[in-house]
Amino acid sequence: MHQQNHLAPGYTREPRHAPDARLAHILCAARATHTVEAAAHFGRWWLDSERGQVALSVVAAQHLQVVPGVHQGLDETFIAVVLDDLLPLIAHLTAPTPETPSIDFRVLGPQDGLHWLRLTRLDASPAVPGIVSGIVADITPAVHAGMRERL
C-alpha cells in the first residue's frame, strides 16, 4: 500500500523497484546487527554510485522518515530532508572525496517534527566496489544543547 507524502506530490515513502542484488545481499547481512544499531541510535546506509540506488537499514530509514530497504534514487531516500539542506547533502554523497567525512542536515517528519541528523561516510571497501557506505545518527539532542548554551 502506497501512502502519499505530504511534502512532495507524486512521491511515495516506499521503494518502487526491485533492489540491485549487491544491495539486497548487504541489507540481508545487516539485519543481524539491527539490535546493535537501535541500541547505539545510528543507522547504516549504502549508495550504489553506478545505479544511484540507496539501501537503508531499519534505523537509518526511521531517522530519514522513509521505509527501510532499497530506494531507486536520492529523491526517494531524502524526501523528508529540508529543502535548504538537500543540495549540500547530495553533493556530499556524490563527491568522490568530500572535504569532510560528515554532513549535518535536517529532516521534517509529519508527526515528530524537525530533527537534526549527521550522515558520515565510511572508507570504501574493496570487497564491494562502487558502493559508498556510512552511518546516519540523530544529533537533535546535541544541537538543542548547543543552542541552550549559546542562550
Side-chain angles (χ1 to χ4, degrees):
M1 168 187 262
H2 288 272
Q3 180 180 6
Q4 289 299 319
N5 180 354
H6 74 283
L7 299 174
Y11 284 100
T12 63
R13 290 187 180 263
E14 298 180 24
R16 294 177 281 192
H17 307 286
D20 173 68
R22 293 184 306 166
L23 290 179
H25 177 71
I26 289 170
L27 276 178
C28 185
R31 287 188 189 127
T33 61
H34 169 70
T35 306
V36 173
E37 284 185 34
H41 302 289
F42 74 85
R44 293 187 300 161
W45 58 269
W46 300 266
L47 168 65
D48 182 336
S49 55
E50 296 166 6
R51 296 183 67 174
Q53 292 182 331
V54 180
L56 300 172
S57 70
V58 172
V59 177
Q62 289 169 346
H63 288 327
L64 292 167
Q65 306 287 321
V66 295
V67 296
V70 177
H71 296 262
Q72 291 306 305
L74 299 175
D75 58 338
E76 285 184 13
T77 307
F78 299 122
I79 194 77
V81 172
V82 172
L83 192 56
D84 290 345
D85 297 345
L86 188 57
L87 288 178
L89 176 61
I90 290 172
H92 179 82
L93 275 173
T94 57
T97 53
E99 292 179 24
T100 62
S102 297
I103 185 168
D104 297 348
F105 61 98
R106 299 164 292 171
V107 293
L108 186 60
Q111 293 165 352
D112 54 355
L114 186 72
H115 283 267
W116 282 90
L117 301 180
R118 176 169 291 149
L119 182 135
T120 303
R121 284 176 63 156
L122 301 176
D123 292 334
S125 169
V128 281
I131 302 290
V132 179
S133 67
I135 61 171
V136 62
D138 188 338
I139 60 167
T140 304
V143 170
H144 287 169
M147 288 177 183
R148 283 192 300 271
E149 273 185 26
R150 285 190 293 273
L151 295 177

